[in-house]
Amino acid sequence: MVQESLYFIETHLYEDIGLEEVASGAGLSPYHYHRVFRKEVGMTVVDYIRNRRLSETSTILRSTNIGILDIAIGCGFESQEAFTRAFKKVYGLPPGRFRKLFNLKLFQGRSRGGELKMNHTSTVNGWILSGSHPQNYEMGIDPTVVHQGKSSGYLKSVTPMDINEFATMMQQFKADKYIGKRMKLSGFVTTEKVEQFCSLWMRVDNNVQDVLQFDNMHDRPITGTQPWNQYHIVLDVPEDSAVISFGVILSGKGKVWVDSFRFEEVDRNTPVTHMENEYEMVDAPVNLSFEE
């Protein structure tokens, strides 16, 4: 339900929408929907819409010479003063000052794909590029496609030779602080021309690298070109857990951007998304004559 609402917001971002319109689309009262949305997304509907509009304006400020008043009106603000107050509250700077400090002259020219290449090496602090053929993929930071803040992370195919090739932008950390807890990984994802699939994933291993809990959204993959939306994984961290790994995976051709990750404990009423590897044992042998 929240994902459908986020899709509605992203595709009507500059229209006159608010809590009542979003709640109506979900078939809930504004009061109830406010609570549901805030719990899942971490902010109110009104704050989410405002922050997304401000993220879009930050990109416009850095990449164009459009006047600040025109940007403000075009992005749904009543005046330049109202836009300046809202922008400064989120980014700590007025729009004009932000444009001077973070203009895209800090980056090299655009590549044929449209993204911006950063002047320094394309490593992303805290993230690892891995997978079956990581050499055929590229990860980096993109200041032109942003969910919130000043940039997003991206993973894109460069020279995949086979549809089964994949890469992942990932992290690993010790499980010690999360033992016995139920943890939820959520993040915002947008895609462009993903031919096979992409998804978030999370895994919990023990000391001998046995997989204790795992989900890669195999039953809910992201394909094609999709606007920003939030996806999540919920796993338990058993007593013998040692390492937690998570990331975003891209299989085959395409490009995926990720932003606004959250990793938080949830209560036991929140269902896990763990991929079950076990199968149900039957009581007796069946189909011995191969006629069924």
Side-chain angles (χ1 to χ4, degrees):
M1 179 180 66
V2 171
Q3 286 185 330
E4 291 177 355
S5 297
L6 290 170
Y7 182 88
F8 173 79
I9 292 171
E10 292 295 324
T11 52
H12 298 79
L13 191 57
Y14 299 120
E15 298 177 17
D16 186 17
I17 58 172
L19 174 59
E20 291 188 359
E21 289 76 17
V22 178
S24 176
L28 296 176
S29 69
Y31 173 76
H32 182 56
Y33 191 75
H34 167 81
R35 296 174 61 192
V36 173
F37 191 94
R38 187 168 186 172
K39 179 182 178 183
E40 292 298 320
V41 181
M43 65 183 72
T44 67
V45 172
V46 173
D47 286 344
Y48 180 84
I49 293 172
R50 183 181 66 248
N51 286 350
R52 284 293 297 125
R53 287 173 175 169
L54 288 171
S55 291
E56 293 297 306
T57 63
S58 72
T59 299
I60 296 170
L61 283 167
R62 289 178 292 177
S63 58
T64 74
N65 292 320
I66 298 175
I68 294 176
L69 176 59
D70 293 330
I71 295 174
I73 300 301
C75 292
F77 291 89
E78 296 180 356
S79 65
Q80 182 169 332
E81 290 74 19
F83 169 57
T84 298
R85 286 195 301 270
F87 192 92
K88 187 174 181 180
K89 184 176 180 180
V90 173
Y91 289 92
L93 295 168
R97 178 69 172 161
F98 180 90
R99 169 175 267 169
K100 291 179 180 179
L101 289 178
F102 297 102
N103 70 80
L104 295 180
K105 293 178 182 179
L106 298 174
F107 303 90
Q108 296 176 358
R110 293 179 182 272
S111 70
R112 289 183 297 175
E115 75 278 0
L116 296 175
K117 295 290 188 178
M118 300 185 72
N119 282 326
H120 55 73
T121 57
S122 60
T123 57
V124 183
N125 182 34
W127 295 86
I128 303 166
L129 180 63
S130 185
S132 67
H133 295 75
Q135 69 277 9
N136 294 339
Y137 290 79
E138 174 186 298
M139 73 173 185
I141 294 174
D142 193 338
T144 66
V145 180
V146 182
H147 179 257
Q148 291 187 47
K150 300 182 181 69
S151 60
S152 65
Y154 74 84
L155 176 64
K156 74 168 185 175
S157 60
V158 179
T159 57
M161 304 299 291
D162 185 87
I163 61 173
N164 295 317
E165 294 183 7
F166 71 91
T168 177
M169 184 166 62
M170 61 172 288
Q171 292 192 25
Q172 287 186 313
F173 53 93
K174 295 178 181 178
D176 301 11
K177 295 193 298 184
Y178 310 100
I179 297 293
K181 298 179 179 180
R182 180 165 292 183
M183 302 304 300
K184 178 179 179 180
L185 170 72
S186 60
F188 280 83
V189 178
T190 184
T191 60
E192 181 181 88
K193 298 179 180 178
V194 173
E195 294 186 0
Q196 297 303 311
F197 76 91
C198 77
S199 64
L200 302 183
W201 65 272
M202 183 162 71
R203 191 180 73 230
V204 183
D205 300 336
N206 62 16
N207 276 318
V208 293
Q209 298 184 341
D210 293 329
V211 178
L212 304 179
Q213 294 271 298
F214 177 66
D215 181 24
N216 66 352
M217 293 176 53
H218 70 287
D219 56 346
R220 52 198 193 283
I222 309 167
T223 59
T225 299
Q226 302 293 339
W228 285 110
N229 211 325
Q230 187 184 49
Y231 302 87
H232 73 267
I233 289 172
V234 180
L235 298 179
D236 288 327
V237 184
E239 291 299 325
D240 55 345
S241 301
V243 177
I244 299 175
S245 308
F246 76 91
V248 59
I249 186 172
L250 174 61
S251 178
K253 295 181 180 179
K255 186 172 183 180
V256 54
W257 292 261
V258 290
D259 203 351
S260 308
F261 274 108
R262 296 165 64 196
F263 186 68
E264 58 192 339
E265 183 179 4
V266 294
D267 60 39
R268 294 290 166 171
N269 293 322
T270 304
V272 296
T273 60
H274 171 57
M275 181 190 299
E276 295 292 346
N277 295 319
E278 299 178 357
Y279 62 92
E280 184 177 352
M281 188 74 68
V282 297
D283 297 326
V286 297
N287 195 25
L288 300 183
S289 61
F290 301 100
E291 299 296 328
E292 299 177 11

